[in-house]
Amino acid sequence: MADGITGVVHLNPEEGEKVRGAAAGLGTDNDLEGYTRPELMQARRSGDVALVHSWELVTAVDGPGTRMTMFMSGCPLRCQYCHNPDTMEMKVGTLERIEDVVKRIKRYKPIFNASGGGLTISGGEPLFQIAFARRVLKEVHDAGIHTTIDTSGYLGARLRDEDLDNIDLVLLDVKSGDEETYKKVTRRELQPTIDFGDRLNAIDKPVWIRFVVVPGLTDGPENVANVAKIVSRWKSNIERIEVLPFHNMGADKWHELGYPYTLEDTKPPKPEDVEEIREVFRKEGFVVY
C-alpha cells in the first residue's frame, strides 16, 4: 500500500459506482475486465488507470470558482477526524482510465472558465497514486484548466519540479503544530509537511492552508501557536488560511468499516472558540476564513 500500487483492490459491483453529491452525473462505467492482474498492476504503475473513490462538482469549496473534485483512494495518514475513512486503503472506488478521466474533466472547461474554477484532486491523498495524478495534472493543465491538489504534504517529495509547474494552487493541510500532537492525530510525522511547505515557498507557489480545530486534540493554545509559527515562515505565498471546525459526520463510515472511532464523544468546537483561533492567524497578518 505504501506506493499506491501494491495495495489490494476489492471492488463490489453490486454496490454500484461510488458517486458523491452534485456530481451524480459525472460517473462512467469502465470495463477493465480485459486486464490480467499483471497488466493491471503495470497500468497502475504507468498511471494508465487508478482507483478513484468519488467525484464532486461544487462551488466555493476546494479552491476558487466551481471545482470538479476528484477524490482518490489511498492515504498514508490515519487522521482521527477523517470524514472519508473509506479512502484510507485501496479498497473502495472505481477503476478509471486516464483518457476517460481527462475527457470528463475537459467537458466542464466552459464552466471553469466562466466561474474561475477548475480541477481539484483530493482524497485520501492525491499523491498516493502518484503516476495517475501526475498525468492528469499535466493533461488538464496543458488544456488551460486551473489545477489544485488538496494534500497533507506528507508525500510532497514525490512531486518533481515539472509536476509543480502543472499545479496552480496547493491546499496544504497542516494537521498540527508539534510533532507529538501530529503523530497522535495522524500516526505519521510532521516534518515532511514542513519540508513541502518550504519547497512551495521557495518557488512562490500559491497555497491555501487548512487547519481543523478538534476540541481536546488540536485546539490547545500551544499547538495553535506552533501552527501559526510554522505557516508564518511561508507568509509570502500563502493566500489564505481556512480554520475549519471539526464535525463528526464521518462517524457512520468508521462504524461501517469496523474501524475504532476515537472521537465518538467529541463535540464540534464552539463558534467563538473557532473565531478565537482564527484571530491568532489574523494577528500574524493572514487572510483567514
Side-chain angles (χ1 to χ4, degrees):
M1 186 179 70
D3 59 2
I5 294 172
T6 56
V8 177
V9 179
H10 300 286
L11 297 178
N12 300 306
E14 71 276 9
E15 294 180 3
E17 186 170 2
K18 304 295 183 182
V19 180
R20 294 165 54 118
L26 300 179
T28 59
D29 294 322
N30 290 324
D31 180 10
L32 296 174
E33 292 180 357
Y35 282 86
T36 65
R37 181 170 179 78
E39 288 172 341
L40 181 56
M41 297 296 285
Q42 179 55 39
R44 291 172 64 193
R45 289 190 184 95
S46 65
D48 287 339
V49 302
L51 191 65
V52 176
H53 176 269
S54 52
W55 298 81
E56 280 187 348
L57 188 64
V58 294
T59 301
V61 177
D62 298 331
T66 299
R67 311 298 301 181
M68 175 181 281
T69 302
M70 178 173 65
F71 295 85
M72 304 292 294
S73 289
C75 184
L77 274 58
R78 293 295 180 265
C79 298
Q80 291 189 41
Y81 55 76
C82 180
H83 59 275
N84 282 325
D86 48 343
T87 65
M88 289 179 178
E89 298 184 25
M90 299 284 288
K91 292 183 177 180
V92 176
T94 303
L95 285 171
E96 300 266 13
R97 291 187 178 91
I98 181 76
E99 58 266 29
D100 295 331
V101 164
V102 171
K103 182 179 179 180
R104 189 183 314 169
I105 296 165
K106 286 181 179 178
R107 285 205 303 262
Y108 287 81
K109 187 176 178 181
I111 295 175
F112 301 148
N113 288 345
S115 69
L119 169 72
T120 298
I121 305 182
S122 186
E125 168 55 58
L127 307 182
F128 193 78
Q129 300 184 80
I130 184 61
F132 188 82
R134 172 179 289 132
R135 290 181 60 183
V136 171
L137 287 165
K138 176 170 176 48
E139 292 200 36
V140 171
H141 193 262
D142 285 351
I145 295 172
H146 184 278
T147 55
T148 297
I149 61 170
D150 179 6
T151 177
S152 69
Y154 185 77
L155 299 179
R158 291 186 170 188
L159 288 170
R160 306 164 182 162
D161 290 346
E162 55 264 36
D163 296 329
L164 290 173
D165 291 339
N166 295 320
I167 299 170
D168 295 306
L169 172 67
V170 176
L171 308 181
L172 183 59
D173 301 312
V174 180
K175 314 284 187 176
S176 179
D178 65 79
E179 193 67 51
E180 182 179 352
T181 305
Y182 196 93
K183 184 162 286 189
K184 184 177 181 181
V185 171
T186 70
R187 299 191 203 170
R188 301 297 182 187
E189 298 75 35
L190 169 61
Q191 192 60 46
T193 296
I194 296 177
D195 293 342
F196 186 54
D198 287 344
R199 185 179 173 199
L200 296 174
N201 178 255
I203 62 172
D204 201 33
K205 181 67 63 177
V207 170
W208 292 7
I209 296 293
R210 287 176 161 179
F211 173 64
V212 180
V213 179
V214 186
L217 186 61
T218 67
D219 65 338
E222 185 175 353
N223 186 54
V224 172
N226 285 335
V227 173
K229 182 178 179 181
I230 290 169
V231 300
S232 289
R233 63 200 283 170
W234 310 324
K235 189 174 293 185
S236 62
N237 65 304
I238 291 177
E239 295 184 344
R240 64 196 282 179
I241 293 179
E242 297 180 346
V243 178
L244 307 173
F246 159 79
H247 62 75
N248 54 16
M249 289 186 286
D252 288 345
K253 288 186 179 181
W254 285 80
H255 299 152
E256 290 170 7
L257 292 165
Y259 295 167
Y261 186 58
T262 58
L263 301 177
E264 196 75 55
D265 298 323
T266 301
K267 305 296 183 184
K270 297 177 181 178
E272 58 267 30
D273 292 339
V274 174
E275 193 59 31
E276 185 176 332
I277 291 173
R278 289 185 176 127
E279 193 60 31
V280 171
F281 294 100
R282 289 193 183 104
K283 287 180 179 178
E284 295 294 329
F286 291 107
V287 175
V288 184
Y289 291 86

